[in-house]
Amino acid sequence: MFLASLGGMIVLLPGLPLTTAMTELSSRHLAAGTARLSGAMMVFLSIGFGVALGGTIDQRIFGMRHAAAIAALPAWTEAAALVVAPLALMVLLRAPRRDAPWVMMACALAFIGGRLGAAWLGPELGLLVGALTAGSGEATATRAGCAARRR
């Protein structure tokens, strides 16, 4: 139950405030870093309590649900997801339309790298391979774009 909730809540996690807090703490700005870290932790706690409270209320109203068998989706759904998901991320992150091909390419590279990595190294390290593939592709595209602009 909570795993399905996590997928929808992941965009609400305070990644930037947490990163900023760690940067300030490491640069010895202790008061500002502690304040930002406390704020990020309060967001984590709020999300956690909200999910737990919602799950408890759901269980009290509708009762305990039994796990259903997972049905395999048709093969065309992966292709549709590779088109729809990057576009949805562009809307969520307010990316300019001109970057759509690059975003779609990065998502496709991450997907292909993750699948190949999972086949070779297992599902845990497959995610790492997918992330490294997308990051390497992004760095290569950025360098190629910078080199083209210098000419």
Side-chain angles (χ1 to χ4, degrees):
M1 174 177 75
F2 293 115
L3 190 59
S5 300
L6 181 63
M9 305 293 283
I10 197 77
V11 295
L12 300 176
L13 294 178
L16 182 62
L18 188 61
T19 305
T20 305
M22 292 299 146
T23 303
E24 287 180 348
L25 286 172
S26 67
S27 62
R28 315 251 331 138
H29 298 286
L30 301 180
T34 304
R36 288 186 197 271
L37 183 61
S38 298
M41 288 311 194
M42 288 307 299
V43 172
F44 276 126
L45 285 173
S46 300
I47 291 172
F49 282 129
V51 169
L53 180 65
T56 303
I57 291 172
D58 175 58
Q59 191 175 31
R60 297 279 166 100
I61 292 174
F62 299 108
M64 188 67 151
R65 295 192 184 112
H66 299 290
I70 298 174
L73 294 174
W76 63 268
T77 57
E78 276 187 2
L82 275 174
V83 173
V84 173
L87 297 176
L89 284 172
M90 287 188 62
V91 171
L92 178 70
L93 300 174
R94 296 184 182 116
R97 288 183 184 177
R98 69 177 184 271
D99 292 340
W102 296 109
V103 172
M104 294 182 82
M105 182 186 72
C107 288
L109 279 174
F111 178 77
I112 293 167
R115 283 296 172 104
L116 291 175
W120 292 334
L121 303 170
E124 295 84 9
L125 292 177
L127 293 173
L128 173 68
V129 172
L132 288 175
T133 304
S136 300
E138 181 272 333
T140 304
T142 301
R143 288 187 181 150
C146 290
R149 274 186 245 130
R150 278 188 244 149
R151 291 181 193 158

